[in-house]
């Protein structure tokens, strides 16, 4: 039988999935998020990260499933609170666990990408003020040295910090993350110290491992004025983008600190601090002042976030113009409990990448198995694989089979499009 024609190719991309330790591992009580989730009223469904996907026990099963699906790369994070449960005290057993898992991932032919900080950290670090503390970059560097020193023979690709902008505003403006204390100075000091931590870790990792590829995962969204004719909407949109996105890109990619982040730190010299541009892309905001929302009647996911595939290329092009380099989509995914439009979502984003003319090298779908969605708890379903939390049973969704087929065929064929994508439509928002 002749092979079905390719509608577009993904052969230039390494394709896989992304996760974060606290959202999957379960069983760890020694971190900021467990502490906070244990307080009444913090998590939408009252869950904690204690159960999650029980990946700490089930990583063998999960690795085998990734291999079955033919995934080429896997972004995961290591949990600081497991590695350094008390200040300066390294838990060798936790490191041995990660070594075993990473060895199995490599043996399965999957390229690992490891994140050092993805929203969670030890309770003792939170007690010191986390990244509001001027001591935090040094403490983060100590963790970096331990992790890269121990896992460096298994991992060469690193994400220092996940979404510093989201972390800072959720913790210190929107009360959606610990410590949920409203403070503009805390936003500023957090961003400053995370940027210093990243820049210093960038160099430190390269000293330890010259061949390493290091970057951070930037949460990039499209900011668009709700009414383009309204000068206030236009100005707010530009300001939102500058503050939420560009400020950090300049500090973390370019080592250049705007006055808004305080003086240029003595320990950071302006110049490139990245080997790839890491982008987490989900959605677009319709801006109408300080608050933002979605445009009326646009495609939305289960959480009401706009689905806007071209935006991935818009944010990438914009960043690439100022900071040229290979582009890794470190996260892209959607909440779709019924799996009614996820294959189309994957298809549309991969097609945008394929037609962009930009040097996209990797695509990590968020996420693999449905996982614990922070303040939203267990309800939102982002997985290519469905999870029955009570039974801890994994079931590959059609969208998971679709992505697997795309990888195997080197792109989207007419046949896979017809089987998985053609009948799917996006729900429309109000
Ligand atoms: C975060 C993930 C999260 C995802 C979906 C991203 O901002 O990095 O940890 O699960 O969004 O909400």
């Amino acid at each position: 039988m002749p092979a079905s024609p390719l509608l577009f190719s993904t052969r230039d991309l390494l394709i896989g999935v992304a996760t974060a330790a606290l959202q999957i591992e379960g069983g760890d009580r020694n971190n900021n998020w467990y502490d906070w989730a244990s307080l009444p009223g913090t998590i939408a469904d009252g869950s904690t990260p204690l159960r999650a996907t029980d990946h700490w026990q089930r990583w063998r099963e999960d690795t085998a499933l990734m291999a079955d699906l033919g995934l080429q790369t896997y972004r995961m994070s290591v949990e600081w609170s497991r590695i350094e449960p008390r200040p300066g005290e390294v838990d060798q057993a936790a490191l041995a666990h990660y070594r075993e898992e990473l060895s199995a991932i490599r043996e399965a032919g999957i390229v690992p990408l490891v994140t050092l900080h993805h929203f969670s950290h030890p309770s003792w670090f939170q007690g010191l003020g986390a990244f509001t503390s001027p001591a935090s970059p040094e403490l983060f560097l100590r963790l970096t040295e331990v992790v890269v020193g121990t896992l460096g023979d298994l991992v060469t690709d690193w994400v220092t910090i996940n979404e510093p902008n989201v972390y800072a505003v959720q913790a210190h403006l929107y009360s959606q993350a610990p410590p949920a204390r409203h403070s503009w100075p805390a936003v500023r000091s957090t961003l400053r110290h995370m940027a210093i931590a990243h820049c210093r870790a960038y160099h430190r990792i390269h000293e330890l491992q010259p061949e390493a590829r290091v970057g951070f995962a930037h949460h990039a969204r499209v900011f668009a004025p709700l009414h383009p004719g309204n000068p206030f909407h236009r100005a707010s949109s530009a300001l939102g983008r500058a503050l939420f996105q560009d400020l950090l890109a300049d500090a973390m990619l370019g080592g250049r600190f705007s006055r808004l982040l305080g003086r240029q730190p003595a320990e950071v010299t302006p110049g490139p601090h990245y080997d790839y541009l890491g982008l987490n892309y989900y959605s677009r905001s319709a801006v109408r002042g300080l608050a933002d929302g979605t445009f009326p009647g646009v495609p939305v996911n289960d959480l009401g976030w706009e689905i806007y595939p071209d935006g991935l290329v818009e944010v990438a092009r914009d960043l690439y113009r100022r900071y040229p380099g290979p582009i890794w989509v470190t996260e892209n995914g959607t909440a779709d409990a019924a799996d009614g439009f996820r294959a189309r979502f994957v298809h549309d984003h991969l097609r945008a990448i394929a037609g962009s003319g930009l040097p996209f090298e990797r695509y990590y779908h968020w996420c693999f198995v449905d996982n614990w969605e922070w303040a939203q708890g267990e309800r939102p379903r982002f997985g290519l694989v469905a999870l029955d939390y009570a039974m801890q049973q994994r079931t590959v969704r059609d969208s998971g089979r679709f992505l697997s087929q795309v990888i195997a065929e080197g792109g989207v064929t007419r046949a896979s499009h017809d089987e998985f994508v053609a009948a799917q439509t996006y729900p429309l928002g109000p």
Side-chain angles (χ1 to χ4, degrees):
M1 213 171 60
S4 176
L6 213 52
L7 298 182
F8 61 87
S9 164
T10 56
R11 286 215 177 87
D12 295 339
L13 283 178
L14 217 52
I15 296 179
V17 290
T19 61
L22 201 78
Q23 293 180 268
I24 61 173
E25 286 179 351
D28 178 26
R29 287 187 159 82
N30 193 21
N31 62 76
N32 57 332
W33 270 91
Y34 175 74
D35 294 340
W36 193 63
S38 305
L39 304 174
T42 51
I43 308 299
D45 59 3
S47 62
T48 75
L50 217 48
R51 171 159 81 165
T53 80
D54 193 27
H55 177 80
W56 190 253
Q57 308 296 336
R58 294 171 197 259
W59 62 267
R60 284 185 189 79
E61 177 187 346
D62 286 339
T63 308
L65 190 53
M66 279 191 260
D68 274 357
L69 293 175
L71 301 183
Q72 297 165 312
T73 181
Y74 177 44
R75 175 178 170 220
M76 57 179 264
S77 74
V78 288
E79 180 51 49
W80 186 351
S81 57
R82 288 191 188 273
I83 293 172
E84 194 180 356
R86 281 161 293 281
E89 195 181 307
V90 172
D91 183 341
Q92 294 300 339
L95 286 169
H97 179 106
Y98 287 124
R99 277 197 69 82
E100 208 186 341
E101 180 176 356
L102 282 159
S103 305
I105 288 165
R106 284 169 54 103
E107 273 159 35
I110 299 170
V111 176
L113 167 63
V114 171
T115 306
L116 298 170
H117 186 275
H118 193 130
F119 295 171
S120 58
H121 47 239
S123 307
W124 63 259
F125 181 71
Q126 189 66 47
L128 297 175
F131 284 96
T132 63
S133 161
S136 56
E138 197 59 46
L139 295 169
F140 179 74
L141 220 62
R142 186 168 75 185
L143 170 80
T144 302
E145 285 167 5
V146 168
V147 174
V148 177
T150 317
L151 305 179
D153 59 325
L154 301 171
V155 181
T156 51
D157 302 342
W158 306 94
V159 171
T160 53
I161 299 178
N162 183 71
E163 298 189 346
N165 50 1
V166 171
Y167 170 85
V169 299
Q170 292 200 334
H172 299 294
L173 274 191
Y174 300 133
S175 294
Q176 284 167 355
R181 260 179 246 122
H182 190 284
S183 156
W184 277 100
V187 172
R188 182 178 186 248
S189 58
T190 296
L191 293 177
R192 175 179 174 81
H193 295 135
M194 282 188 144
I196 295 174
H198 164 78
C199 290
R200 293 186 62 194
Y202 176 81
H203 292 298
R204 193 72 192 102
I205 297 173
H206 277 289
E207 281 163 23
L208 294 167
Q209 198 184 37
E211 73 279 19
R213 273 167 301 178
V214 185
F216 82 107
H218 197 16
H219 180 95
R221 56 195 303 116
V222 175
F223 286 84
L226 177 61
H227 298 300
N230 180 325
F232 183 60
H233 290 187
R234 281 204 310 273
S236 318
S237 168
L239 186 68
R241 192 184 107 167
L243 291 179
F244 190 66
Q245 231 143 258
D246 298 349
L247 194 69
L248 263 190
D250 291 342
M252 295 182 76
L253 300 173
R256 273 180 289 110
F257 282 62
S258 143
R259 298 292 295 175
L260 291 171
L261 292 179
R263 265 179 291 117
Q264 177 73 27
E267 60 272 47
V268 179
T269 309
H273 287 79
Y274 65 97
D275 301 309
Y276 62 85
L277 301 175
L279 286 180
N280 291 2
Y281 175 76
Y282 288 88
S283 188
R284 166 168 78 164
S285 292
V287 185
R288 54 179 163 84
L290 269 186
D292 62 6
T294 46
F295 290 97
V298 293
V300 291
N301 73 9
D302 292 354
L303 295 170
W305 304 357
E306 181 181 355
I307 299 169
Y308 180 58
D310 287 344
L312 171 56
V313 171
E314 288 173 28
V315 292
R317 198 180 300 289
D318 180 65
L319 203 61
Y320 179 77
R321 206 176 293 133
R322 288 174 299 136
Y323 297 100
I327 301 162
W328 295 7
V329 180
T330 35
E331 285 178 31
N332 173 241
T334 197
D336 174 17
D339 204 40
F341 52 87
R342 188 179 286 101
R344 174 166 291 283
F345 180 99
V346 168
H347 166 274
D348 288 355
H349 285 81
L350 289 177
R351 191 178 53 184
I353 289 173
S356 70
L358 290 169
F360 282 95
E361 276 186 0
R362 296 195 186 184
Y363 174 85
Y364 292 89
H365 193 78
W366 184 277
C367 57
F368 180 46
V369 177
D370 288 334
N371 63 29
W372 192 71
E373 275 296 327
W374 309 110
Q376 306 272 0
E378 294 177 348
R379 228 172 277 149
R381 301 292 178 145
F382 279 84
L384 294 166
V385 177
L387 178 67
D388 174 335
Y389 275 98
M391 305 305 290
Q392 284 297 329
Q393 196 183 325
R394 282 105 165 111
T395 309
V396 179
R397 293 191 165 111
D398 282 352
S399 51
R401 290 176 42 231
F402 172 62
L403 188 64
S404 169
Q405 200 160 318
V406 170
I407 297 170
E409 296 180 332
V412 174
T413 59
R414 163 66 54 205
S416 69
H417 178 274
D418 288 353
E419 181 179 354
F420 294 102
V421 181
Q424 295 201 330
T425 53
Y426 296 127
L428 299 180

